[in-house]
Amino acid sequence: MMPLDERWVRPYRLSPMPRWRLVCFAHAGGSASFFRDWAAALPADIDLLAIQYPGREDRFCEPCLTDMHSLAEAASQALRGYADRPLALFGHSLGAVAAYEVAIRLERQAIAVEHLFISAHPAPQCQRGGQLHSGPDAALLDDVRRLSGRPHPLLEDPAQRELFLPSLRNDYRIVETYRRAQPLPLDSRIEVFYPEQDPEIDLDEALAWQAASLQPLHLRRWDGEHFYLIEQRQALFDALATALLGRRPLTSPAPEEPCR
């Protein structure tokens, strides 16, 4: 069987001496390839990795996961081999709480996640729940159309739609059944990207992420709906680069031994 890190992590850019490794987690129904072209847009000293959930793309033949615990446990184990440089995690929607849960597990293993970017999702204690994952296909697909705000090719082609539905339904199950009544506060800096026209999150739910960090929360407002990060692509890259490169990491990797 393929090693865990090779199944879960897509290293879209790895360099010898990066200042940061940015690890991205996709939304429900999304995949690692959503982030592939970010590598060419981000500064060269930020490595780019993305987590590939099972049941899609090159992991299509693997069973989909149905709970956040299983997802976070496997992803955190897969990332251990990349922790020789400062780590930052970015998660959008479902990926936001997945990134938070992975950060908890990495911190327990004495691996610091220095910066956690939370995009378009309420804090753990403010989860809205839902039953779309157990309802009819039509309702599930209508919700995807509602959030995307644009034509979705996978939804319009019946054959592709049938392939897409199992992973989408299980992703919705993960996020709709996720519960954490009281967040575990991290040492990580948390920066919340809050799209002001997004029906999936309000300002109070965004500010509630403060309970998940021991450091002051940073809130960045965006003009846009749930997928603001597509319309404001370059502004998003600029925000990530400023946050990561505009200051020194909390910890630095041990200096390498000189060549002999």
Side-chain angles (χ1 to χ4, degrees), residues 68-116:
M68 183 64 75
H69 174 79
S70 300
L71 189 160
E73 282 292 326
S76 62
Q77 290 298 319
L79 286 171
R80 293 181 64 182
Y82 296 94
D84 58 322
R85 298 293 162 189
L87 289 178
L89 308 185
F90 173 93
H92 179 67
S93 196
L94 159 68
V97 282
Y100 167 68
E101 290 292 330
V102 167
I104 289 174
R105 287 156 176 80
L106 289 175
E107 192 170 281
R108 286 172 179 166
Q109 300 171 58
I111 297 172
V113 173
E114 308 217 15
H115 204 124
L116 180 60

Side-chain angles (χ1 to χ4, degrees), residues 127-176:
Q127 296 300 293
R128 298 182 179 186
Q131 295 298 321
L132 284 169
H133 69 277
S134 59
D137 291 349
L140 194 61
L141 295 171
D142 284 346
D143 196 62
V144 174
R145 293 186 183 99
R146 175 182 68 88
L147 292 176
S148 66
R150 65 184 57 80
H152 198 305
L154 289 177
L155 305 187
E156 310 314 320
D157 181 290
Q160 291 194 65
R161 189 167 60 230
E162 288 305 308
L163 296 175
F164 175 62
L165 267 168
S167 61
L168 177 67
R169 183 176 295 280
N170 282 287
D171 286 356
Y172 266 66
R173 179 178 287 109
I174 289 172
V175 75
E176 289 183 336

Side-chain angles (χ1 to χ4, degrees), residues 10-251:
R10 298 293 169 273
Y12 289 132
R13 180 169 66 207
L14 286 179
S15 53
M17 293 288 290
R19 288 181 61 185
W20 291 91
R21 288 207 168 117
L22 177 64
V23 185
C24 297
F25 296 74
H27 51 281
S31 56
S33 64
F34 182 82
F35 303 102
R36 181 186 290 122
D37 62 355
W38 286 28
L42 288 167
D45 46 1
I46 299 177
D47 278 356
L48 180 70
L49 301 86
I51 296 298
Q52 184 74 297
Y53 311 140
R56 68 213 69 205
E57 292 188 334
D58 55 347
R59 299 189 71 185
F60 180 77
C61 293
E62 297 181 44
C64 296
L65 297 180
T66 59
D67 66 277
M68 183 64 75
H69 174 79
S70 300
L71 189 160
E73 282 292 326
S76 62
Q77 290 298 319
L79 286 171
R80 293 181 64 182
Y82 296 94
D84 58 322
R85 298 293 162 189
L87 289 178
L89 308 185
F90 173 93
H92 179 67
S93 196
L94 159 68
V97 282
Y100 167 68
E101 290 292 330
V102 167
I104 289 174
R105 287 156 176 80
L106 289 175
E107 192 170 281
R108 286 172 179 166
Q109 300 171 58
I111 297 172
V113 173
E114 308 217 15
H115 204 124
L116 180 60
F117 296 99
I118 296 297
S119 173
H121 198 83
Q125 71 276 25
C126 300
Q127 296 300 293
R128 298 182 179 186
Q131 295 298 321
L132 284 169
H133 69 277
S134 59
D137 291 349
L140 194 61
L141 295 171
D142 284 346
D143 196 62
V144 174
R145 293 186 183 99
R146 175 182 68 88
L147 292 176
S148 66
R150 65 184 57 80
H152 198 305
L154 289 177
L155 305 187
E156 310 314 320
D157 181 290
Q160 291 194 65
R161 189 167 60 230
E162 288 305 308
L163 296 175
F164 175 62
L165 267 168
S167 61
L168 177 67
R169 183 176 295 280
N170 282 287
D171 286 356
Y172 266 66
R173 179 178 287 109
I174 289 172
V175 75
E176 289 183 336
T177 58
Y178 171 67
R179 297 286 184 274
R180 189 176 278 278
Q182 184 62 40
L184 292 177
L186 299 167
D187 289 328
S188 313
R189 298 182 179 94
I190 295 183
E191 185 161 352
V192 177
F193 289 2
Y194 167 55
E196 295 185 289
Q197 290 79 48
D198 184 359
E200 296 299 293
I201 182 172
D202 62 33
L203 181 58
D204 287 341
E205 292 169 333
L207 292 172
W209 276 101
Q210 177 60 78
S213 177
L214 298 173
Q215 302 193 47
L217 185 75
H218 296 268
L219 180 77
R220 183 182 291 269
R221 298 171 185 258
W222 295 85
D223 181 26
E225 300 182 346
H226 194 62
F227 281 97
Y228 74 95
L229 71 175
I230 295 176
E231 285 82 8
Q232 301 205 51
R233 172 186 168 87
Q234 188 56 54
L236 179 74
F237 297 149
D238 292 344
L240 292 170
T242 298
L244 294 178
L245 302 179
R247 54 176 169 71
R248 294 179 60 83
L250 290 173
T251 60

